[in-house]
Structure formats: structure tokens, C-alpha cells
Amino acid sequence: MRSCQKHQPRPPPLPPAVKRTGSASCMPKPSKAGDACVVGTINPELYKFPEDKSETDFPDGCLGRLWFSVEYQQEAERLLVSLIKARQLQVPSETCSPLVKLHLLPDERRFLQSKTKRKTSNPQFDEHFIFQVSSKSITQRVLRFSVYHVDRQRKHQLLGQVLFPLKNETLEGDCRRIIWRDLEAESLEPPSEFGDLQFCLSYNDYLSRLTVVVLRAKGLQLQEHRGVVSVFVKVSLMNHNKYVKCKKTSAVLGSVNPVYNETFSFKADAAELDTASLSLLVLQSVEGDKSHPLGRVVLGPYMYSRGRELEHWEEMLGKPKELVKRWHALCRPAEP
């Protein structure tokens, strides 16, 4: 093979688009005397994709994982749901025959259902479902996937569920996006007198940031006679019982079990946490831009809280940068 000589003209550079896509590249490295010309070689580094660990990295105690996609057609007012697959489903018996029921909450009565897959803990569904839902209410709805094992007597045993709020950001864009979520166990404890609220706490001492993730509520005692039935949560950081900062979730219509999955961050120095507290107030919107309190949870050091609320606060401080999730019973709120 002939060697490249310095007097030979260099091939013209390719357009940037060709370089980015990893197409066959004719851009040889600067040649040295005696080196062979290599034309038309492909750089394999350009073809590497980020490693997908969604089917290999399962946390301890995982009940299983579900893959799906959602798309909303605005003009037809149709929600298209594709149920793709599940992996690592946990059942007490040796064999697993799973099926999935889909609810569009708060409607508990109507549901769609997948086919039953026989003798597999890693079912492949590839089924498509359509919910008719108006564009005005779509962002107030929550998609629930309930995964069941069907035993020999055809009884349904719940393995876990996924709750997926249909926020604006999840419905935007033209491309189909595959989503996966780990199954959660359904809470078997009855709701408290005023209902319960589930949320996560995390504190990052390096950034002096307190993070609150409001997940969901259950068993709320709504005041039906007050007109509009929508519920939101007001999250307040306080110091010496004085308000420092307040933030609110979006309002969820018509449900005693609303789902939020909304994250809030507050600036709080570590030294301030000894006198700081966190208040989560659940409110129902009523006519005239007013609101009616349904229940409240207060967390903080010993001077502000006791029991589970104090334990949650101390666990947050003991596990910096880690999200600590718990349910809390709502207490009777003071009327505004």
C-alpha cells in the first residue's frame, strides 16, 4: 500500500452534521511519514449510548417495575396509554400470572384491563388503551396501574401499584416517551380522622437546602356543601413560629385521595434548623377565592413536634441528601 505523502491534498472537512451523527468519516489523523492512509473508517466512540440500567438496578425490597407511555390528543380529547412490560414482580407463590388494571382517578368505578400473562414474573404486555377525557380536566387526573396476580381460583391478589399524575410537562412534546416506575404497596391502614398526608423530606447541608416532596393524601373529609371541590397543600417554612416562606401545590379536583408529586425547596442554614419548623396545611378551595382547612402536619425539633413528626425530622437530619418518605395523620386545623 502506498504511503501518504505530504504533497497530497487533504480531503475537505465534512460538515458538522456528519461529524455529530457518527457517519462514515473521512477525517484521518495527521499522517506521519510511512503511515498508511485509512479512508472511510468509522469512529465507534460516536455510536456509544448511555447504558440503560432500568432492567438491572433494582433497589432492595422492590415489588417490581412497570414500563408504559402516555400521549394526549388535544383535538380528539383522548388519552392514549401503552402498557409495555413489567419486570421482577414479587409473588408469594412459585408462579406468577399477572394482569394490570388501569384507572383514571378520581373515577374509581370504571377501569380498563390488560390480558393475563401466564407463569411469568417478567411479563411483556404491549397493549394499548384509550381514555376519553376533556382537555379541561386532564391535568387534574391521575393514572393508576394496579398489578395483580391471578391464582388458580381466579382470585386477584394485588402485587403493587403505580400512581402517575398527568401534569402538563408529562403530556407535552410530539415524541413518544417511555416511562418506568417501581411498584408501591397499597397502604392497608385505615385513614385517620381528618385524613393522611404522605411526603418526603431531605436536607442538603452543603447547599443549605431543605427539600419537601408532597406526594399524596388519602381519606380527606371534604366539605361538599362549600361548592368547588378542589384540594391543595400549603407548605410553610417557619422560624420561631414566624413565616419565612410559603409555597403551594396545584389544586386537584374532586378527590378525597389527591396525588401531587410536587417538589419544593427552601433555603435554610444548618444553624437555623434548631428553631425552624415545617407546616403542611391541606386546604379545600371554596367560592370567592377562599379556602377551608382540612388538616395540618407540623414537623421540627422537640419544641415543635412529637412522635412520628419528630422522628421524621430527626431521620432527615441523620440522612443528609437522602429523601425520607413517610405518612402522617392530619390534625384538626385551626379555623383561619
Side-chain angles (χ1 to χ4, degrees):
M1 185 178 289
R2 291 170 52 191
S3 299
C4 284
Q5 301 297 324
K6 292 183 179 179
H7 67 270
Q8 289 179 333
R10 285 182 179 273
L14 293 178
V18 176
K19 296 178 186 176
R20 284 197 299 270
T21 57
S23 300
S25 173
C26 298
M27 292 290 289
K29 295 180 180 179
S31 60
K32 299 178 182 178
D35 284 352
C37 265
V38 182
V39 179
T41 57
I42 297 175
N43 183 1
E45 295 296 320
L46 297 175
Y47 285 86
K48 287 187 176 181
F49 293 93
E51 185 180 357
D52 181 13
K53 296 183 178 181
S54 64
E55 293 202 42
T56 56
D57 288 359
F58 291 86
D60 293 339
C62 181
L63 301 176
R65 186 167 289 170
L66 193 70
W67 282 258
F68 58 93
S69 70
V70 294
E71 179 187 350
Y72 186 65
Q73 295 179 339
Q74 191 84 20
E75 293 185 3
E77 295 191 327
R78 298 195 309 173
L79 178 68
L80 311 182
V81 182
S82 295
L83 178 63
I84 301 170
K85 62 186 177 181
R87 294 291 182 267
Q88 300 288 334
L89 297 178
Q90 302 298 311
V91 290
S93 58
E94 294 182 0
T95 60
C96 180
S97 296
L99 67 78
V100 181
K101 293 182 180 180
L102 295 82
H103 287 83
L104 194 58
L105 302 178
D107 189 352
E108 294 273 4
R109 295 172 299 174
R110 287 173 289 186
F111 63 89
L112 302 176
Q113 181 175 307
S114 75
K115 296 178 182 178
T116 303
K117 301 297 179 179
R118 300 294 177 185
K119 298 181 179 181
T120 176
S121 296
N122 301 295
Q124 190 77 26
F125 293 102
D126 294 324
E127 296 185 46
H128 308 284
F129 306 90
I130 299 175
F131 290 94
Q132 201 72 37
V133 54
S134 71
S135 57
K136 292 182 179 179
S137 66
I138 182 66
T139 57
Q140 305 290 334
R141 311 299 284 271
V142 176
L143 192 59
R144 183 176 71 193
F145 301 87
S146 301
V147 183
Y148 292 88
H149 162 59
V150 183
D151 62 20
R152 293 180 180 179
Q153 287 74 38
R154 296 186 179 180
K155 293 182 179 179
H156 292 183
Q157 178 183 355
L158 182 64
L159 303 180
Q161 63 181 8
V162 170
L163 293 169
F164 187 71
L166 297 171
K167 309 285 186 181
N168 285 323
E169 59 270 19
T170 63
L171 302 174
E172 290 176 349
D174 297 327
C175 60
R176 178 173 175 263
R177 185 166 60 97
I178 295 177
I179 303 158
W180 61 264
R181 292 287 188 274
D182 287 342
L183 299 184
E184 297 182 8
E186 185 181 42
S187 175
L188 299 177
E189 296 182 7
S192 304
E193 181 181 359
F194 300 103
D196 300 87
L197 184 66
Q198 186 188 43
F199 53 91
C200 301
L201 294 181
S202 175
Y203 183 68
N204 187 320
D205 51 357
Y206 179 75
L207 298 175
S208 298
R209 184 172 64 198
L210 175 64
T211 300
V212 183
V213 184
V214 181
L215 296 173
R216 69 195 74 171
K218 67 176 181 179
L220 300 179
Q221 303 300 310
L222 299 179
Q223 306 294 312
E224 300 285 351
H225 63 279
R226 290 180 174 261
V228 179
V229 180
S230 62
V231 181
F232 65 95
V233 181
K234 180 180 177 183
V235 184
S236 304
L237 177 65
M238 307 176 74
N239 202 317
H240 291 291
N241 286 324
K242 293 182 179 180
Y243 287 98
V244 177
K245 192 83 173 179
C246 297
K247 300 184 179 183
K248 298 178 182 178
T249 68
S250 56
V252 174
L253 291 175
S255 176
V256 296
N257 304 305
V259 178
Y260 298 99
N261 285 2
E262 296 188 31
T263 302
F264 306 98
S265 294
F266 300 90
K267 195 75 174 176
D269 293 332
E272 297 175 345
L273 295 183
D274 291 336
T275 55
S277 63
L278 199 62
S279 168
L280 292 95
L281 180 63
V282 182
L283 298 124
Q284 176 183 338
S285 297
V286 296
E287 295 177 354
D289 295 328
K290 295 181 180 180
S291 56
H292 170 72
L294 299 176
R296 188 184 186 202
V297 177
V298 177
L299 297 94
Y302 188 77
M303 69 175 72
Y304 299 112
S305 62
R306 300 286 191 276
R308 290 179 61 85
E309 288 70 37
L310 177 61
E311 290 173 6
H312 197 174
W313 183 265
E314 291 180 341
E315 188 177 357
M316 173 195 74
L317 296 177
K319 298 179 178 178
K321 302 176 186 177
E322 182 178 331
L323 283 172
V324 181
K325 180 170 65 174
R326 284 203 180 188
W327 280 100
H328 292 275
L330 296 173
C331 298
R332 182 190 297 275
E335 287 286 346

